[in-house]
Every structure is written in structure tokens, then in C-alpha cells.
Amino acid sequence: MERHFDRELNELREKLSSMASLVELMIDTAVKALIERNPELLGEIFNSETEVNKKHIEVDELCLKLIALRQPAGIDLRFITSAMKINAELERIGDQAVNISQNTANLVQQPFFVKLEIIPQMTEVAKSMVKDCIKAFINKDVELAKAILLKDNDLDQQKKDVFKKLISNIIENPAHTEYFIDLLLISRNLEKIGDHTTNISEDVIFMVLGQDIRHHHLFDNHKV
Amino acid sequence: MTIIKTNNLNLWYKKFHALLDVNIPIEKNSITSIIGPSGCGKSTLLRTLNRMNDLIEGIRMTGEILIENKNILLPGTDLVSLRKNVGMVFQRPNPFPLSVYKNITFGLEIHNIKSNDTLDNIVENSLKSVLLWDELKDKLKSHALNLTLEQQQRLCIARLIPVKPQILLMDEPCSALDPIATGRIEELMFELKKNYTIVVVTHNMAQAARVSDDTGFMLLGRLVEFNKTSKIFTNPEKKETEDYITGRYG
Ligand SMILES: Nc1ncnc2c1ncn2[C@@H]1O[C@H](COP(=O)(O)OP(=O)(O)OP(=O)(O)O)[C@@H](O)[C@H]1O
Ligand SMILES: [Mg+2]
């Protein structure tokens, strides 16, 4: 039986989904600007950020309205509380993209340039995690959510590799320390994006199974 | 501590199988609500707990209903003392067409209870326990049917008290009341649970969520799920429960 309420929940789903596409685009653009050394692309990011902030507030308002007016229970309640948390995570992913673009803005001003393949690789992983965690949310797909938790380990490893590489770069080339630190911060931002997507994945698992797997080191019997 | 427990309780109205293998544990000094769609057997289950169904022709029960470990379905059960111990409040307030005072003393008279306490004291204490004393202490002689519906419902609870029940059964006790009166009866239920065990049938899921400690969900004569109320309304175990509490049932 389709309820009127289901249409409102769909609206919520669509808003979060379009917010996710936006932050994904922001990450993509920030890294593209870095690789193509094209600061003009960065302007788009600030427009997108304004759009994401607007959606962030809209989603929160919609969630509060649905809680007050529909008095949801069970899966509906878990869906809406997860949506609120996912909303906050997406907004923070947007902030990370803004951070990347600020570091990029610094980087492209400098004549110095090293090609670091691993940054676009990390970007691809981070973007796919954003895409997948929202897909997991929309489709209530626990397996996909769990896969993201595993992918995050790859991203962490990549960041460690970047750190190692950049530290040796700094030692070899101390005159360009600032340049390398900006790159290092970008890899850290990408890694953070991964962390936000794992939070979202944990929310998805909670929503579907009603099982809280966060901080599972606190509870012996919780397994992912 | 469990005060009531049914074991594989089955009930038939002639050929109609109205309760199927119901196993429900009721905690002492708690509020348990029974929810479920119309006709699922909520009132039937509630009425078995003080054997009010006995009067219905063609009724048959199997299984056990243990109240403080005594099976009240056994022949030889003293129904009068059972019904003193397990009182019932109905959907429509149904005070006796007598004065406020008489409504409360009536139970003692029909049960022929001699009390050391004076009747005046009993009336005062009973009305106090349902928070009616201040409102009605100067109107004890007035006719009960002149009270507001909420006062009548409180009086119906108050009149159970002199016979010293342990368990209060309530079948949709607020469905005839407006939201304010409903809120006040719910507050009263919280007060009463200190001294009594309450089992309440309600169609109002928000009410079940607000007042009860445990909730049982029934469907077609079965107790589909029994759980902590907070669990039932956030993350029930059974799909049927989830469908019902989210309004997807049907
Ligand atoms: N005296 C009776 N004789 C025959 N069948 C009955 C009798 N009382 C109830 N039933 C049937 O038993 C089933 C359960 O009835 P019951 O009144 O317990 O349901 P309920 O859950 O309290 O419903 P409601 O929410 O409408 O009050 C229904 O199908 C009803 O028609
Ligand atoms: Mg009923």
C-alpha cells in the first residue's frame, strides 16, 4: 500500500541524492583544477557549495517537518534519522571539496609542478565511495554499505603512501616544502571524504538492520 | 517480576478460533499495551485475564493463565476474588447511576467487605488515588452522571480501588475522551503503576508509545510480537509489526 507519506519520503531521498551528486561534482572539479592547473574551474565549486548549504537546510527542515507531522515509527523513523545524519555528512564532504580547492588555488599559483598519479587515483576511489554510499541508502543495500567500509582501508593506505612519498620529496627538495604540504593536505581531505562515506554506510546499515555498528570496538558482539 | 503469564492460551467463540497460542508475560508494576487491528482479539485477550468472557455462550479455552503462578483457568477458581484482584475499566465510562460516594462504596457492599477503615476514609483515599479528591470533595453527593466524561472515567478507576486489586485492565480507556482529558488519564496511569499493574488495549499507537513499558502486537488472534515499547516503535523484530506501526498494514 503506497502511503502519502511515501511520497514525502521519496522527496527526501531525491534531495539527498541530488546533494550527493553535487558534492561528487565538487570533488571532481577541485581535483581537475589541480591536474589541469586551471584555477578558473574553482569558481564553480563555490557556487556548488552555496547550493549544497541550501539543500542541507532544506533537508533538515523536511526531516523535522516529517517527524512532527507524521510521527514516524520503525523503519520510517530510522530512515528519517539516518537522512538527517547523512545530510550532515554530505555537507561536510562538500566542505572537504572546498578545502581541496583552496589548496589547489595555492598550488596552481606556483610555477613548480610534480605529477602525482596517486592523487587522481584517490579521487576516483573517494568519488565512487560517495556515489555508492548514497546508492546504498536509496536502495537500502547493506552489502554495498559494507563494501564501502572495506574500500576505506584502501583509501587510508593510499594516503599513507602519499605521505611517505611527499615526505621524501620534502627532504630532497626542501625549497618546495609548502607545495608538498598543500598536496599532502589534499590527500588528507580525500581521506576524510572516505571517512564521511563510512559514517554514511554505518547509518545505512543501522537504518536497514536496526543494528548499530559504530564504535564496534566498544561491543564485542558487533560484527560488520 | 512477572505477575501474569499466559501459556499457549487458545480461545474459541463456538467454532471461531479467536486466540491462538498466546504467550504473554506481564511485568508487575508496569504498563503493558496491546495493539493491533480491529478484530485481532485484543479485547478478548484482556477479558480472559479476569475471565469476563466466561459469560459468553459457546466459549472454550485451553492453555494456562498464571496470575502469581496460579492458573486461573482451573476449575474451582474463585471468580469473585479473581475479579477483585483484576479490575476492568471500559471504553465508555460507565459509572453506576448513583452518587459519587455510592459509586465507590458500592463495590464494598456487593462484595460484603467489612473494613476497619471508615467508608468516608475509603472514599477519600480512592478519590485521591485518581486525583479526583480536590475536585469532588464538596460534590460527593452529586450524581456521577453529571460529571465530565474524564471525571467519570477516573471515578470508574477509583471505584475499583476499595476492593484492593493488583491488576487493572483498561480497554481503550481514552477513546471517548478529548486529547487533554486523555493526557490527564495517561498521567494518572503513570501514578497508578506505582501500586498496580496495568494492561491497556489501545487503538492509539502514540498512546501505547507514550504510556507503556511493554507492547504486544496482535494479528488475527496471534500475539505476533511482544517487546519493550521502545523496541516495538523504533525497530520491531517482525515485519508484520513494522507494517502495522508504520501504517502500511492492509
Ligand atoms: N461474543 C463473541 N462471539 C463471537 N465472536 C466474537 C465475540 N466477541 C468477539 N468475537 C470475535 O472475535 C474476534 C476478536 O474480537 P475482539 O473484540 O477481541 O477484537 P479487538 O481486537 O478487541 O477489536 P477492536 O479493536 O475492534 O475492539 C473478532 O473477529 C470478533 O468478531
Ligand atoms: Mg476491542
Side-chain angles (χ1 to χ4, degrees):
Chain A
M1 183 179 64
E2 152 123 328
R3 307 160 303 168
H4 185 74
F5 187 24
D6 289 321
R7 270 181 258 160
E8 295 170 314
L9 295 178
N10 265 334
E11 187 188 336
L12 187 53
R13 229 173 249 125
E14 276 158 23
K15 275 190 197 293
L16 282 172
S17 170
S18 77
M19 208 170 149
S21 308
L22 257 174
V23 299
E24 208 188 305
L25 183 70
M26 286 168 75
I27 303 167
D28 198 50
T29 311
V31 177
K32 201 161 153 206
L34 171 71
I35 293 165
E36 296 178 1
R37 298 177 65 76
N38 179 0
E40 285 184 2
L41 294 175
L42 299 177
E44 273 176 45
I45 292 178
F46 296 100
N47 293 338
S48 301
E49 195 206 6
T50 311
E51 192 58 29
V52 166
N53 289 346
K54 218 177 96 202
K55 284 200 162 36
H56 181 213
I57 291 172
E58 279 173 18
V59 167
D60 262 352
E61 282 174 353
L62 180 57
C63 290
L64 285 181
K65 188 184 99 178
L66 294 180
I67 290 171
L69 303 185
R70 299 289 178 185
Q71 302 181 0
I75 179 69
D76 297 331
L77 179 63
R78 302 201 306 280
F79 178 83
I80 293 173
T81 54
S82 300
M84 290 183 90
K85 290 195 261 179
I86 291 171
N87 186 32
E89 299 291 346
L90 286 176
E91 195 259 348
R92 287 187 201 126
I93 293 176
D95 288 346
Q96 294 295 345
V98 170
N99 292 343
I100 295 176
S101 69
Q102 282 162 350
N103 293 318
T104 297
N106 279 343
L107 279 166
V108 294
Q109 276 169 21
Q110 302 179 36
F112 184 75
F113 178 66
V114 287
K115 200 168 172 210
L116 209 55
E117 284 299 340
I118 201 161
I119 295 272
Q121 282 166 18
M122 279 184 84
T123 307
E124 283 313 308
V125 176
K127 266 168 44 192
S128 75
M129 287 167 79
V130 174
K131 198 193 277 294
D132 285 350
C133 70
I134 290 303
K135 202 160 145 198
F137 171 68
I138 304 281
N139 299 331
K140 302 194 168 115
D141 186 340
V142 172
E143 291 314 310
L144 186 57
K146 286 181 180 170
I148 292 163
L149 300 180
L150 292 177
K151 241 187 193 173
D152 191 48
N153 297 336
D154 298 347
L155 202 56
D156 287 348
Q157 189 53 48
Q158 284 177 317
K159 191 210 72 179
K160 281 186 193 136
D161 294 347
V162 173
F163 267 47
K164 245 191 240 153
K165 191 113 192 281
L166 289 172
I167 286 167
S168 63
N169 278 331
I170 289 172
I171 294 169
E172 286 162 23
N173 222 336
H176 294 295
T177 300
E178 200 186 324
Y179 181 93
F180 293 122
I181 285 180
D182 276 329
L183 274 183
L184 196 133
L185 289 174
I186 288 176
S187 74
R188 169 112 181 98
N189 294 142
L190 289 167
E191 184 235 16
K192 280 272 183 190
I193 288 173
D195 292 343
H196 291 303
T197 69
T198 62
N199 290 345
I200 292 177
S201 306
E202 288 167 350
D203 290 335
V204 170
I205 293 169
F206 172 74
M207 171 181 82
V208 180
L209 303 179
Q211 197 183 81
D212 199 329
I213 59 149
R214 294 173 304 171
H215 315 299
H216 46 274
H217 56 280
L218 296 178
F219 315 97
D220 297 327
N221 53 350
H222 279 186
K223 290 217 172 60
V224 179
Chain B
M1 196 190 89
T2 309
I3 183 164
I4 306 176
K5 174 139 191 23
T6 70
N7 289 326
N8 293 329
L9 178 64
N10 283 271
L11 182 148
W12 290 261
Y13 291 114
K14 300 214 170 83
K15 291 234 158 70
F16 179 69
H17 199 170
L19 295 179
L20 289 86
D21 289 327
V22 173
N23 293 294
I24 188 167
I26 309 257
E27 268 303 285
K28 194 174 162 75
N29 294 115
S30 74
I31 302 177
T32 301
S33 54
I34 313 282
I35 59 171
S38 200
C40 69
K42 304 179 294 293
S43 300
T44 300
L45 174 62
L46 200 69
R47 288 192 304 252
T48 60
L49 302 180
N50 70 353
R51 289 189 49 183
M52 290 251 302
N53 291 321
D54 281 26
L55 310 169
I56 297 166
E57 204 196 301
I59 203 147
R60 190 162 70 80
M61 286 183 262
T62 63
E64 292 181 323
I65 302 174
L66 304 178
I67 296 187
E68 296 190 301
N69 290 320
K70 267 175 52 195
N71 183 4
I72 62 159
L73 293 186
L74 289 180
T77 297
D78 177 355
L79 291 186
V80 173
S81 66
L82 173 65
R83 287 175 195 152
K84 274 193 268 175
N85 191 32
V86 187
M88 173 80 99
V89 180
F90 298 89
Q91 182 168 359
R92 292 278 325 164
N94 57 348
F96 306 122
L98 300 168
S99 69
V100 170
Y101 191 98
K102 279 273 175 202
N103 260 275
I104 294 187
T105 56
F106 193 81
L108 295 175
E109 283 162 19
I110 54 165
H111 289 305
N112 200 14
I113 295 172
K114 301 276 180 285
S115 171
N116 294 330
D117 223 348
T118 66
L119 286 182
D120 285 357
N121 276 339
I122 291 171
V123 170
E124 179 172 343
N125 289 333
S126 303
L127 288 176
K128 275 185 173 158
S129 68
V130 297
L131 313 177
L132 264 187
W133 176 247
D134 288 339
E135 284 167 55
L136 296 188
K137 61 176 183 241
D138 301 324
K139 298 184 192 158
L140 297 177
K141 295 253 154 10
S142 41
H143 202 276
L145 295 174
N146 291 335
L147 303 178
T148 67
L149 276 181
E150 182 206 339
Q151 288 171 330
Q152 291 183 25
Q153 194 62 306
R154 284 174 188 267
L155 184 63
C156 290
I157 300 171
R159 74 177 175 198
L160 299 172
I161 287 169
V163 301
K164 300 194 166 52
Q166 294 194 80
I167 298 161
L168 301 177
L169 308 176
M170 303 187 177
D171 198 345
E172 301 188 43
C174 299
S175 64
L177 304 180
D178 70 24
I180 305 234
T182 297
R184 290 163 46 126
I185 295 285
E186 289 175 3
E187 286 305 318
L188 174 61
M189 290 167 75
F190 285 122
E191 279 305 308
L192 290 171
K193 113 174 158 171
K194 293 174 193 154
N195 299 311
Y196 305 92
T197 301
I198 299 174
V199 186
V200 56
V201 164
T202 177
H203 271 289
N204 178 341
M205 282 194 271
Q207 176 170 69
R210 283 192 300 264
V211 301
S212 61
D213 301 286
D214 296 313
T215 296
F217 168 61
M218 292 185 71
L219 194 60
L220 298 170
R222 289 182 198 279
L223 182 68
V224 170
E225 182 165 352
F226 179 86
N227 238 318
K228 289 274 157 241
T229 299
S230 57
K231 171 98 176 129
I232 292 272
F233 286 97
T234 58
N235 185 21
E237 263 158 28
K238 297 278 162 50
K239 175 157 191 316
E240 292 96 324
T241 316
E242 183 102 57
D243 286 349
Y244 185 70
I245 57 150
T246 57
R248 286 184 173 85
Y249 174 80

